[in-house]
């Protein structure tokens, strides 16, 4: 067990600082202060962040920290923090670590007992979720693999998911990937495309997967997107093992073989046949 008291000591630490996803006014007063007071700002892209920091009136030393140098750069940053430096980490936009670099550094800090201090702030998927009209719980998938054969595995999970599913997609891949999504989901399943959040062209395109897919076939997607898939309300409630075993026994009583009964119940209730077999044969 490890216990982190974020502000107990005046010591080196890592601040995770969210930056605007479009509207610069979304930077918080605290984020500006932390970025100003830190010894260094570790930025995914020092050029992009340089422009942002200048616009919000922050002048500080930047260190480049991105997914291609994070393994080598992390030990250097850890050394600085162990010597007492305060580092504020930012990504190009939104929350560091969320589909952005930072995870490696967070892990290293925890390993070395360096406090990791998160700031609340802008993030694309939670902003999209609260206006989507879809409920919680939710599952966040980040970016999906590019191959449609691999995407289909995720889309099948979303089809069955009893929670809202959320993913990020680049505009030039959106139309094609929505077609793949439409090939896996029932036609009338509701989805939302949240576009250009917090920016002047912000839009929510809400409708069935068929309608939204057709819309983007006719209107080329532009800007940044979050896609949300409504929960599956058709799926049977997830039953306990005891309830599933009762169903197997019912079928056996009606004359099914144990093997076939297990197979049928497993298929109907989306559980592993082997696991149900093991549960059924447990004492
Ligand atoms: N760390 C960020 C966050 O907290 O949301 C996400 C970074 S990820 C590299 C960038 C993706 O987030 C974009 O491709 C898009 O899918 C989504 N995104 C970022 N800003 C957005 C915005 N203003 N509107 C819609 N989606 C956005």
């Amino acid at each position: 067990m490890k216990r982190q008291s974020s502000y107990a000591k005046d010591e080196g630490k890592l601040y995770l600082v969210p930056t605007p996803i479009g509207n610069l006014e979304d930077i918080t007063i605290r984020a500006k202060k932390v970025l100003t007071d830190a010894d260094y700002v570790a930025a995914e892209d020092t050029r992009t962040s340089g422009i942002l920091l200048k616009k919000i009136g922050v002048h500080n030393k930047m260190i480049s920290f991105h997914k291609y140098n994070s393994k080598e750069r992390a030990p250097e940053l850890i050394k600085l923090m162990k010597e007492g430096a305060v580092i504020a980490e930012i990504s190009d936009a939104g929350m560091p670590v969320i589909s952005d670099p930072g995870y490696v550094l967070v892990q290293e800090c925890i390993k070395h007992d360096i406090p990791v201090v998160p700031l609340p702030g802008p993030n694309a998927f939670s902003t999209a979720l609260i206006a989507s009209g879809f409920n919680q719980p939710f599952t966040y998938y980040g970016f999906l693999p590019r191959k449609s054969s691999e995407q289909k595995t995720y889309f099948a999970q979303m089809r069955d998911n009893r929670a809202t599913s959320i993913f990020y997609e680049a505009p030039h891949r959106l139309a094609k990937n929505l077609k793949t999504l439409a090939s896996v989901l029932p036609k009338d399943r509701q989805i939302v495309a949240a576009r250009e959040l917090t920016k002047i062209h912000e839009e929510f395109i809400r409708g069935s997967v068929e309608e939204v897919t057709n819309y983007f076939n006719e209107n080329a997607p532009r800007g940044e997107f979050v896609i949300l898939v409504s929960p599956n309300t058709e799926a049977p409630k997830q039953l306990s093992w005891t309830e599933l075993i009762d169903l197997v026994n019912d079928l056996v009583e009606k004359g099914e073989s144990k093997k076939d009964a297990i197979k049928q119940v497993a298929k109907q209730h989306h559980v592993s046949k082997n696991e149900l077999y093991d549960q059924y044969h447990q004492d």
Side-chain angles (χ1 to χ4, degrees):
M1 192 193 103
K2 284 181 180 223
R3 183 167 158 212
Q4 170 185 316
S5 297
S6 299
Y7 310 110
K9 282 193 250 159
D10 195 12
E11 60 187 346
K13 55 181 67 125
L14 176 71
Y15 279 98
L16 299 172
V17 184
T19 54
I21 56 169
N23 190 328
L24 289 189
E25 292 185 1
D26 290 334
I27 191 83
T28 67
I29 296 168
R30 183 169 174 222
K32 252 171 103 168
K33 184 168 180 348
V34 168
L35 290 169
T36 306
D37 295 349
D39 294 299
Y40 302 94
V41 174
E44 184 182 3
D45 181 333
T46 50
R47 258 194 61 199
T48 311
S49 295
I51 297 168
L52 170 78
L53 295 187
K54 202 168 158 203
K55 279 189 187 157
I56 61 172
V58 170
H59 306 280
N60 206 338
K61 296 182 282 296
M62 275 195 283
I63 302 178
S64 137
F65 183 74
H66 47 72
K67 73 173 173 191
Y68 302 106
N69 73 3
S70 63
K71 285 235 163 72
E72 307 85 66
R73 201 36 66 85
E76 296 166 22
L77 298 181
I78 293 290
K79 185 167 177 283
L80 286 171
M81 287 184 275
K82 283 200 143 189
E83 289 164 0
V86 170
I87 296 185
E89 204 208 326
I90 56 176
S91 62
D92 285 356
M95 293 246 170
V97 187
I98 302 291
S99 297
D100 263 339
Y103 180 63
V104 174
L105 192 55
V106 169
Q107 277 188 318
E108 284 301 305
C109 284
I110 294 168
K111 199 158 97 192
H112 288 89
D113 297 315
I114 296 166
V116 179
V117 187
L119 265 63
N123 158 253
F125 79 72
S126 55
T127 307
L129 175 68
I130 57 172
S132 66
F134 297 158
N135 213 343
Q136 294 157 70
F138 66 89
T139 311
Y140 170 65
Y141 288 88
F143 287 102
L144 300 178
R146 293 193 184 177
K147 280 194 188 160
S148 56
S149 56
E150 291 172 28
Q151 283 174 4
K152 279 187 176 171
T153 312
Y154 289 92
F155 291 156
Q157 281 178 27
M158 295 180 195
R159 180 195 58 212
D160 300 337
N161 198 355
R162 294 175 68 84
T164 297
S165 306
I166 311 176
F167 62 99
Y168 286 165
E169 195 48 273
H172 58 282
R173 283 195 285 270
L174 186 69
K176 179 170 174 274
N177 295 351
L178 284 180
K179 266 191 211 159
T180 314
L181 180 67
S183 73
V184 178
L185 295 185
K187 275 195 179 70
D188 57 350
R189 186 73 165 269
Q190 298 297 298
I191 72 165
V192 173
R195 170 176 176 260
E196 295 286 88
L197 293 162
T198 76
K199 304 182 204 175
I200 193 80
H201 295 298
E202 176 179 292
E203 279 185 329
F204 288 85
I205 293 105
R206 303 181 174 97
S208 71
V209 65
E210 192 180 36
E211 289 167 337
V212 177
T213 305
N214 289 343
Y215 174 83
F216 283 115
N217 258 337
E218 286 154 23
N219 303 276
R222 291 221 177 84
E224 297 193 279
F225 285 89
V226 181
I227 307 298
L228 304 98
V229 177
S230 61
N232 179 4
T233 49
E234 305 291 310
K237 178 179 150 278
Q238 192 58 59
L239 300 183
S240 68
W241 289 119
T242 317
E243 289 168 312
L244 292 169
I245 289 164
D246 286 346
L247 291 178
V248 174
N249 285 332
D250 287 348
L251 289 176
V252 172
E253 269 174 33
K254 284 180 190 151
E256 285 288 356
S257 72
K258 280 182 188 166
K259 197 174 151 208
D260 283 347
I262 289 171
K263 210 162 134 189
Q264 273 186 44
V265 172
K267 192 165 175 221
Q268 266 171 14
H269 293 271
H270 306 283
V271 295
S272 139
K273 191 177 63 190
N274 292 342
E275 233 175 306
L276 182 55
Y277 180 93
D278 289 345
Q279 293 285 339
Y280 187 80
H281 287 94
Q282 260 176 26
D283 290 341

